[in-house]
């Protein structure tokens, strides 16, 4: 009997990207097994250990990154981590038993999910901004009572209903959904034959392909005779249309590492139908090389600055942070400072807000603020600001002595009032929009939010929402209240809530002596 790797494990090279950065494999000796089978077992265990170690390295980086930012929801890596740990525990427990017999060893090897796990992790390393793994997203959300943010595989398996699509990797800060399938050519052909699926060779014409694409965009009906990977692609397209990110459906990417195009007409017909759903399709012959984890780890971390609109709506809390003396120069803590200011001075000494958080998010973007936000900042400035804070406020909004100044003039004066280097593409002055936006087309949940938010916050956040642009804020309580209300009331398919970039740090004006505590 052959003792080579089963076909599932042969399909990915033993020198794959998932195992290049690791030391020599540990060896486990069972004298009652053939030597070449022992080699297979040791290789399998080593690959599982490599996979688990890489994920732990990634999780550690995510934890550190998230702790430093303190401004966004956690990355949902729990299912990925537990799946990989369970796989490692399975092969260790089953394949290192001293009384393991040959047939059981082969059965355990054949039942391993290593190929799928490696393919999923390789696909993740070829992407960026990983937000979640193995998660259900829904269409018909209101009808079936599902939350807008989807459900993890572990929580949704029993309650997902019929209108659900499973996404293996939520990437690019939510803008890309990746689904990985390790079915192979032979298995797919067998499935087609078993289901009696017929392929009309004439359907490969360009005209018919165009018709197929147009039909896929509007036809939500499934053919039970279609293979699973095609049904999955259609479900993902439905769910993506129902769950827009920044006003657009997430781009679906389907990865088929064990299927090659242009070899079998029936398979090519299925691949054409998958592409017709709008998905990007990667087969074994088009998948790019997978980089080592060390080369791409920073890009795998979520960076919401990559997801911002070109025009940014700056709320009052960020305006104040931009002009505060605390943000620009070293400030000594004074006994008469309010406790909040004292804490912010201490925080700034350890982590500089402007170069670490605000400048990276704002640079290269056009900046706008509402008249209400600008007016509130001006009221606070006139009440408690220092002379330098007043100057920065005038520069920031092109007011008083700086009215009509060019960007270069504003930037030069801004630099003179700061200890930090200012990015050349920090686009000040900020434009104040005096217009009243039309929010009539916003989702129905707007009414509940309007009742809950203060007049100022209603003006700021509904402005950004109606304009379809990102609102930058450090008002955590308001952002959380908006999220909680949307989760409670819900959204219709295709609707999205306001897009908010939440800064984890806030800065008050340092205040003149005599301010009340």
């Amino acid at each position: 009997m052959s003792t080579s790797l089963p076909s599932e494990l042969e399909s990915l090279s033993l020198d794959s990207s998932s195992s290049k950065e690791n030391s020599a494999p540990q060896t486990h000796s069972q004298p009652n097994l053939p030597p070449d089978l022992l080699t297979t077992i040791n290789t399998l265990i080593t690959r599982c250990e490599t996979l688990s170690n890489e994920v732990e390295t990634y999780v550690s980086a995510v934890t550190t990154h998230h702790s430093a930012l303190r401004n966004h929801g956690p990355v949902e890596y729990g299912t990925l981590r537990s799946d990989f740990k369970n796989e490692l525990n399975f092969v260790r427990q089953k394949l290192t038993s001293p009384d393991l017999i040959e047939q059981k060893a082969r059965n355990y090897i054949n039942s391993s999910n290593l190929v799928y796990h490696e393919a999923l992790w390789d696909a993740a390393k070829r992407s960026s901004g990983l937000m979640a793994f193995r998660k259900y997203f829904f269409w018909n959300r209101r009808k079936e009572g599902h939350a807008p943010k989807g459900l993890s595989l572990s929580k949704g398996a029993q309650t997902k209903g019929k209108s659900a699509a499973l996404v293996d990797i939520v990437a690019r800060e939510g803008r890309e959904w990746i689904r990985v399938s390790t079915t192979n050519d032979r298995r797919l052909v067998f499935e087609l034959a078993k289901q009696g699926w017929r392929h009309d060779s004439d359907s490969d014409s360009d005209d018919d392909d165009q018709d197929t694409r147009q039909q896929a965009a509007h036809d939500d009906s499934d053919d039970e005779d279609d293979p699973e990977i095609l049904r999955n692609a259609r479900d993902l397209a439905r769910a993506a249309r129902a769950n827009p990110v920044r006003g657009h459906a997430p781009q679906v990417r389907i990865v088929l590492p064990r299927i090659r195009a242009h070899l079998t007409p029936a398979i090519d017909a299925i691949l054409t139908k998958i592409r017709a759903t709008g998905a990007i399709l990667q087969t074994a012959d088009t998948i790019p090389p997978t980089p080592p984890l060390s080369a791409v780890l920073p890009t795998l971390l979520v960076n919401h600055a990559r997801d911002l609109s070109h025009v940014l709506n700056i709320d009052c809390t960020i305006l104040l942070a931009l002009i505060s003396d605390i943000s620009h120069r070293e400030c000594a803590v004074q006994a008469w400072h309010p406790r909040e200011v004292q804490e912010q001075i201490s925080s700034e000494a350890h982590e500089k807000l402007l170069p670490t958080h605000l400048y990276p998010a704002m640079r290269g973007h056009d900046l706008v603020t509402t008249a209400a936000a600008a007016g509130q900042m001006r009221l606070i400035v006139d009440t408690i600001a220092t002379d330098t804070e007043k100057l920065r406020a005038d520069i920031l909004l092109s007011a008083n002595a700086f009215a009509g100044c060019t960007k270069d003039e504003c930037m030069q004066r801004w630099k003179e009032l700061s200890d930090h280097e200012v990015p050349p593409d920090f686009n000040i002055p900020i434009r104040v929009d005096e217009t009243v936006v039309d929010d009539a087309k916003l989702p129905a949940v707007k009414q509940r939010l309007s009742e809950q938010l203060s007049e100022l916050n209603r003006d700021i956040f509904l402005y950004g929402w109606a304009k379809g642009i990102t609102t930058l804020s450090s008002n955590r309580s308001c952002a959380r209240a908006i999220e909680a209300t949307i989760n409670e009331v819900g959204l219709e398919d295709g609707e999205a809530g306001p897009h908010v970039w939440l800064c984890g740090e806030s800065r008050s004006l340092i205040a003149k002596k005599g301010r009340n505590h």
Side-chain angles (χ1 to χ4, degrees):
M1 181 180 292
S2 170
T3 55
S4 61
L5 284 169
S7 59
E8 287 81 358
L9 298 182
E10 285 179 337
S11 63
L12 294 181
S13 168
L14 295 182
D15 190 29
S16 69
S17 60
S18 298
S19 58
K20 288 181 180 179
E21 296 184 83
N22 294 273
S23 57
Q26 299 181 19
T27 58
H28 305 275
S29 177
Q30 287 103 339
N32 55 324
L33 298 179
D36 48 356
L37 182 56
L38 282 174
T39 299
T40 297
I41 290 172
N42 287 323
T43 300
L44 180 64
I45 293 174
T46 298
R47 288 166 66 180
C48 286
E49 290 172 341
T50 295
L51 208 55
S52 183
N53 290 340
E54 284 202 0
V55 170
E56 290 306 310
T57 299
Y58 162 72
V59 168
S60 178
V62 168
T63 302
T64 301
H65 181 64
H66 186 265
S67 176
L69 292 181
R70 300 188 295 277
N71 62 342
H72 293 285
V75 174
E76 299 175 59
Y77 54 72
T79 300
L80 175 83
R81 191 184 200 184
S82 62
D83 284 351
F84 285 15
K85 280 186 174 181
N86 290 341
E87 182 71 17
L88 176 58
N89 291 337
F90 170 80
V91 298
R92 278 178 172 168
Q93 178 184 357
K94 299 298 185 181
L95 296 177
T96 61
S97 173
D99 57 352
L100 181 66
I101 62 174
E102 183 174 346
Q103 187 56 51
K104 279 192 174 182
R106 297 186 187 284
N107 291 340
Y108 292 145
I109 291 172
N110 279 311
S111 63
S112 169
N113 288 320
L114 174 63
V115 169
Y116 167 73
H117 292 320
E118 284 184 333
L120 186 151
W121 184 234
D122 283 351
K125 289 191 290 185
R126 292 191 298 267
S127 191
S128 63
L130 309 181
M131 292 187 67
F133 298 87
R134 306 285 283 159
K135 188 171 183 178
Y136 285 111
F137 288 89
F138 306 94
W139 64 97
N140 294 333
R141 290 190 308 239
R142 294 290 292 273
K143 182 178 180 181
E144 296 190 2
H146 293 299
K149 287 197 169 185
L151 283 174
S152 69
L153 178 65
S154 59
K155 295 179 180 179
Q158 303 301 321
T159 60
K160 63 184 179 67
K162 295 181 179 180
S163 302
L166 180 62
V167 178
D168 285 324
I169 307 166
V170 180
R172 293 177 57 212
E173 288 74 37
R175 290 169 292 147
E176 181 178 56
W177 290 358
I178 301 174
R179 182 69 182 266
V180 178
S181 173
T182 51
T183 191
N184 58 25
D185 304 68
R186 183 173 57 183
R187 190 180 302 170
L188 180 55
V189 169
F190 178 78
E191 184 181 358
L192 294 175
K194 183 178 180 181
Q195 294 178 339
W197 196 85
R198 297 183 181 277
H199 164 56
D200 182 357
S201 60
D202 291 338
S203 67
D204 286 338
S205 69
D206 291 340
D207 290 341
D208 285 346
D209 184 57
Q210 178 67 22
D211 292 341
T212 302
R213 292 179 185 274
Q214 292 175 351
Q215 179 183 2
H218 304 286
D219 182 11
D220 283 346
S221 63
D222 262 336
D223 187 335
E224 291 300 323
D225 291 337
D226 286 337
E228 183 179 10
I229 59 171
L230 178 54
R231 296 198 304 272
N232 288 341
R234 287 174 173 160
D235 287 348
L236 286 164
R238 295 185 187 105
R241 292 195 298 270
N243 294 271
V245 175
R246 299 284 302 111
H248 300 280
Q251 175 63 64
V252 175
R253 182 182 301 272
I254 296 178
V255 183
L256 305 175
R258 303 178 66 204
I259 289 179
R260 290 184 175 273
H262 312 304
L263 294 179
T264 307
I267 289 179
D268 285 346
I270 294 298
L271 300 183
T272 296
K273 288 179 177 290
I274 291 175
R275 293 188 186 95
T277 67
I280 295 174
L281 181 62
Q282 292 181 318
T283 53
D285 46 318
T286 61
I287 294 175
T290 302
L293 180 63
S294 58
V296 296
L297 183 56
T299 67
L300 303 187
L301 305 178
V302 172
N303 178 4
H304 285 283
R306 290 190 290 241
D307 191 33
L308 303 180
S309 56
H310 177 66
V311 178
L312 301 179
N313 174 35
I314 311 302
D315 95 332
C316 187
T317 61
I318 301 296
L319 293 176
L320 292 171
L322 287 169
I323 67 171
S324 172
D325 282 344
I326 301 172
S327 302
H328 288 272
R329 58 183 174 84
E330 185 175 345
C331 298
V333 174
Q334 303 294 337
W336 49 267
H337 281 153
R339 185 175 66 177
E340 179 184 27
V341 169
Q342 294 183 22
E343 292 174 349
Q344 291 176 7
I345 292 173
S346 298
S347 177
E348 180 71 18
H350 294 92
E351 185 174 30
K352 309 302 182 186
L353 177 66
L354 291 178
T356 303
H357 296 287
L358 293 187
Y359 284 158
M362 300 172 73
R363 63 180 303 173
H365 294 269
D366 291 340
L367 309 176
V368 65
T369 192
T370 67
Q376 179 67 14
M377 183 194 76
R378 177 57 62 185
L379 178 63
I380 296 172
V381 165
D382 291 342
T383 304
I384 63 171
T386 65
D387 290 342
T388 50
E389 289 171 338
K390 289 179 179 179
L391 277 174
R392 292 192 197 97
D394 288 344
I395 296 169
L396 196 64
L397 300 183
S398 188
N400 297 325
F402 295 92
C405 285
T406 66
K407 175 188 174 180
D408 289 343
E409 292 169 335
C410 288
M411 284 285 284
Q412 180 58 39
R413 195 69 178 98
W414 187 267
K415 292 176 183 178
E416 294 171 359
L417 296 173
S418 182
D419 291 344
H420 302 305
E421 183 176 350
V422 183
D425 52 354
F426 177 53
N427 293 322
I428 56 173
I430 295 175
R431 178 173 63 88
V432 179
D433 191 345
E434 304 274 355
T435 62
V436 177
V437 297
D438 180 10
D439 59 8
K441 295 183 179 179
L442 289 177
V445 68
K446 174 204 70 174
Q447 184 60 39
R448 177 78 70 85
L449 289 174
S450 297
E451 296 168 357
Q452 293 178 340
L453 298 177
S454 68
E455 183 178 356
L456 176 63
N457 288 329
R458 185 166 61 247
D459 173 88
I460 292 169
F461 287 94
L462 265 61
Y463 172 88
W465 195 7
K467 288 285 189 179
I469 61 177
T470 305
T471 297
L472 266 60
S473 175
S474 60
N475 191 337
R476 279 174 282 189
S477 60
C478 184
R480 288 169 180 166
I482 291 172
E483 181 178 6
T485 299
I486 288 176
N487 286 337
E488 177 187 349
V489 176
L491 295 167
E492 298 290 349
D493 287 359
E495 293 180 342
H499 188 245
V500 180
W501 184 90
L502 188 61
C503 183
E505 289 284 337
S506 60
R507 293 290 181 267
S508 305
L509 302 190
I510 197 167
K512 296 178 290 189
K513 188 172 182 179
R515 176 183 173 185
N516 292 330
H517 289 242

